[in-house]
Amino acid sequence: MRKATPEGTKRYTQRKNATVARGHFRERDGLLLSSIGLGTYLGHWDEHTDRSYEEAIQRAIELGCNVIDSAINYRFQRSERAIGAALKELFEAGAASRDEIIVATKAGFFPFEDEPPKDPRGWIIENVINKGLAQGDEIVGGSHCMTPAYLEDQLARSLANLGLDAIDIYYVHNPESQLEALGRSEFTRRIRDAFEFLEKAVADGRIGCYGTATWNGYREQPESRGYLSLSDVVTIAREVGGEAHHFKVIQLPHNLAMPEALTSANQIVDGESLSLLMAADRLGITVMCSASMLQAKLSQGLPSFVADALKGLTTDAQRAIQFVRSTPGVTTALIGMSRRAHVDENLAVAAVPPASVDEFFSMFSSGER
């Protein structure tokens, strides 16, 4: 199989249901996704970290995690390559099948090659501008580009890095960086061009669906220059792909320290002010959450009311994960895991049911905060 399928993800969940709790797998657009996903952002660009990621990915899939997230620029393309190596070994050993695993990656930032270049500007001129992938004014901040030609090149590179025929979720990475630099009218033109390319990539079978992976955009207030309206982005996708468009997924930070996706009614849908999570539900968009532990800052020292609400867990790292995966409207909490020991600790959360709505919201009314 070229990509994840309903049949494949169902087969995977049936194998893992004996060791994970009810509610760990969530159905979205026919696929069953684990509520905990493995991210590959952090780590040094060396072979030791490559091997460590490979082992962590294999262990995570063994323990019931079938969502693997990356970006072509993570660790200068090495994270994608570590995923590819890990999956190849799993598939060849018969420990998993391609149609069981949801693989996501992103494009937008310049990835360089294996390590930081001595001359980043020279690398961009040689590998982007001279190859006709973008003109100078189509590059923002010296680091970001989303022209169709550039995305075409990056998709081909990601497929080669991952050793796959198709990628299940393909994100435009932090498009708000273009919005902040260019203003709304030019941004709209550029994101529409990007979506036109991505719809074609879906049609030719190279990606399953596409979306936007953001940091600030969906959490900003409407008056902010970098504010992204999910309703407007979905409207652009409809204009490009019709009602059957393939803009299906967004990614943004959500955690105990950054709860705006849940708490800020900054999105307008049909004239109604909604939180991002409510807006995504209204618009039929799957939400994947990054920074679940805020790069380990939430792995210790959490207040006691969090432990009181999120029962059955032994570490603050686990409680931070439980907060994200238990948030109404969240499909998957993504956690960077480059070591097997972290995988074992974090995936232990999968054996615990997500917190009930009452347990979850008790944190927001606690007098101990």
Side-chain angles (χ1 to χ4, degrees):
M1 291 290 180
R2 290 169 58 87
K3 58 181 184 291
T5 66
E7 297 79 14
T9 57
K10 182 178 180 180
R11 184 190 325 116
Y12 178 83
T13 63
Q14 287 173 337
R15 288 205 312 275
K16 304 302 177 183
N17 274 336
T19 56
V20 302
R22 178 183 291 273
H24 173 57
F25 292 108
R26 288 93 186 263
E27 188 274 330
R28 298 291 184 272
D29 293 312
L31 301 179
L32 287 162
L33 294 83
S34 56
S35 64
I36 301 170
L38 186 145
T40 58
Y41 173 44
L42 295 177
H44 194 59
W45 48 90
D46 58 16
E47 291 187 6
H48 173 76
T49 308
D50 295 343
R51 302 291 88 76
S52 186
Y53 261 120
E54 290 171 28
E55 182 180 358
I57 291 161
Q58 292 170 346
R59 180 61 171 164
I61 290 172
E62 177 186 350
L63 294 179
C65 167
N66 74 334
V67 177
I68 309 297
D69 182 83
S70 195
I72 191 169
N73 64 301
Y74 289 175
R75 300 175 55 251
F76 308 103
Q77 303 188 55
R78 299 181 78 124
S79 285
E80 284 190 338
R81 291 168 184 162
I83 292 169
L87 293 179
K88 182 175 185 290
E89 187 172 326
L90 283 172
F91 298 160
E92 289 179 348
S97 300
R98 173 65 187 98
D99 60 350
E100 299 175 341
I101 311 300
I102 293 94
V103 178
T105 196
K106 317 173 188 75
F109 291 111
F110 296 134
F112 303 123
E113 182 79 27
D114 285 328
E115 61 185 10
K118 294 180 180 178
D119 179 12
R121 185 173 181 272
W123 187 97
I124 294 167
I125 291 170
E126 178 182 353
N127 290 278
V128 180
I129 294 174
N130 289 351
K131 290 183 178 180
L133 305 181
Q135 299 179 15
D137 62 0
E138 293 174 312
I139 296 168
V140 168
S143 63
H144 194 279
C145 180
M146 58 183 191
T147 66
Y150 181 70
L151 293 177
E152 173 75 61
D153 174 82
Q154 296 295 281
L155 175 56
R157 288 172 182 261
S158 288
L159 288 168
N161 288 342
L162 294 161
L164 301 177
D165 296 320
I167 294 163
D168 301 295
I169 303 170
Y170 197 70
Y171 297 104
V172 181
H173 199 176
N174 285 25
E176 67 265 40
S177 59
Q178 299 251 341
L179 175 58
E180 292 165 358
L182 301 170
R184 210 155 294 275
S185 176
E186 177 62 14
F187 170 80
T188 298
R189 185 189 70 78
R190 292 189 183 190
I191 200 73
R192 179 180 284 110
D193 288 348
F195 285 4
E196 286 178 352
F197 164 73
L198 293 168
E199 287 288 347
K200 292 175 183 175
V202 173
D204 66 24
R206 289 185 293 167
I207 62 175
C209 66
Y210 64 94
T212 47
T214 68
W215 187 255
N216 290 323
Y218 290 125
R219 299 184 300 114
E220 298 274 15
Q221 293 304 308
E223 60 272 16
S224 168
R225 184 175 177 87
Y227 167 76
L228 278 176
S229 162
L230 181 58
S231 181
D232 287 353
V233 174
V234 170
T235 295
I236 294 168
R238 286 198 187 110
E239 291 171 354
V240 169
E243 290 301 320
H245 66 84
H246 295 87
F247 180 88
K248 299 291 187 182
V249 189
I250 61 172
Q251 185 182 125
L252 80 164
H254 173 61
N255 55 57
L256 280 158
M258 301 166 68
E260 298 90 349
L262 173 70
T263 60
S264 176
N266 67 334
Q267 297 289 324
I268 312 297
V269 181
D270 297 329
E272 186 177 357
S273 296
L274 302 172
S275 70
L276 183 280
L277 289 166
M278 293 177 67
D281 181 67
R282 184 80 59 87
L283 295 165
I285 303 298
T286 295
V287 180
M288 316 290 274
C289 292
S290 59
S292 296
M293 286 195 286
L294 197 56
Q295 297 179 9
K297 293 182 177 68
L298 300 174
S299 63
Q300 57 185 349
L302 296 181
S304 60
F305 69 80
V306 176
D308 292 340
L310 305 178
K311 303 181 189 306
L313 303 161
T314 58
T315 70
D316 279 345
Q318 292 173 344
R319 295 179 188 107
I321 296 166
Q322 182 74 321
F323 172 85
V324 180
R325 75 191 281 258
S326 300
T327 303
V330 169
T331 294
T332 299
L334 297 168
I335 304 101
M337 293 184 272
S338 63
R339 294 170 54 192
R340 181 182 174 123
H342 291 157
V343 172
D344 287 343
E345 178 182 352
N346 296 339
L347 264 296
V349 180
V352 178
S356 70
V357 171
D358 288 345
E359 290 170 336
F360 179 84
F361 282 106
S362 71
M363 287 181 287
F364 292 85
S365 58
S366 172
E368 296 180 42
R369 284 196 303 153

